[in-house]
Amino acid sequence: MANHVLLDNISHKDLKVITARGADWGDKISCATIFPSEFAKIQANQPIVFRKQPQTGQFEALALFGFENGENLLLDEKGELKLTYLPLSMQRQPFLIGQQTQYNNGIPEQSLVVHIDLDSPRVSTSQGEAIFLEHGGNSDYLNHIAQVLNTLHQEHQTINGFFERLLAANLLEAFSIEYAQKNGEKVTVTGFYTINQHALNDLTPQQLKQLQQQGDLQAIYMVLASMEQIPHLLNKKWAQQ
């Protein structure tokens, strides 16, 4: 269970964060949320897929690490995770953005504040990166996290527009991943979406120009390129069976 609390330099002055990546630190996950600005850095190593959130019906983009819940095929034999690029949604752990009401001349205003999950395995008092300096100031690590959280907040503001434009151009299509286990049992993984390449090829020059101007076209091609990583991920799965 998560235990999110508002971060402060008095209650949490001695806290540190373990920044190593691996199964012991919560990285036994099958996917991570990503954003279009990250696609170019991810496509050469992980498949990029889309998924519809069951609670909201909104789409999200994911870097895929495995095909079953809690399966990270990129963990090595020591349980360590070494990625050439770590998604922002993983970089920010165990922190998250919250909102706090503050009053300006009696007028309530919402401001962004940093929360921390005290139950995260990354939180420690004996090892890791210090959050605060000895006399209470922010450490360089916390300043970095603040930048990461701010970027994530901005990305969340624009991601729905990205998917709305893809839907308007009929560029999303459902697909499944099929593979056979070593015992011969066939498995089909469903619930994913990708770019409809036929619809992309049928777009008019004006539609392509609009996608280019919005910055969507590069992200679209990065998603298509990332599909080449699915066979590599399946090879890792077969090797571990």
Side-chain angles (χ1 to χ4, degrees), residues 29-34 42 61-65 87 89-90:
I29 54 176
S30 60
C31 59
T33 302
I34 57 174
I42 290 170
L62 304 171
L64 202 60
F65 303 143
S89 65
M90 297 176 71

Side-chain angles (χ1 to χ4, degrees), residues 50 59 167 170-176 192-199 224:
F50 305 140
F59 281 94
L167 288 167
N170 195 33
L171 289 177
L172 292 183
E173 67 173 351
F175 81 105
S176 59
F192 294 139
Y193 293 78
T194 189
I195 297 297
N196 184 327
Q197 195 159 2
H198 293 297
L224 290 173

Side-chain angles (χ1 to χ4, degrees), residues 173-237:
E173 67 173 351
F175 81 105
S176 59
I177 299 172
E178 298 181 353
Y179 61 90
Q181 300 194 58
K182 284 192 174 180
N183 62 9
E185 180 183 353
K186 292 185 177 180
V187 178
T188 302
V189 183
T190 61
F192 294 139
Y193 293 78
T194 189
I195 297 297
N196 184 327
Q197 195 159 2
H198 293 297
L200 178 63
N201 294 338
D202 289 339
L203 293 181
T204 66
Q206 181 61 29
Q207 287 175 308
L208 290 170
K209 183 178 179 180
Q210 290 175 346
L211 290 172
Q212 175 67 40
Q213 290 173 338
Q214 293 282 357
D216 297 334
L217 203 54
Q218 182 190 34
I220 287 169
Y221 285 122
M222 291 300 99
V223 173
L224 290 173
S226 79
M227 292 294 101
E228 297 296 325
Q229 302 307 318
I230 291 179
H232 297 305
L233 207 57
L234 285 171
N235 287 337
K236 289 181 179 293
K237 184 170 183 64

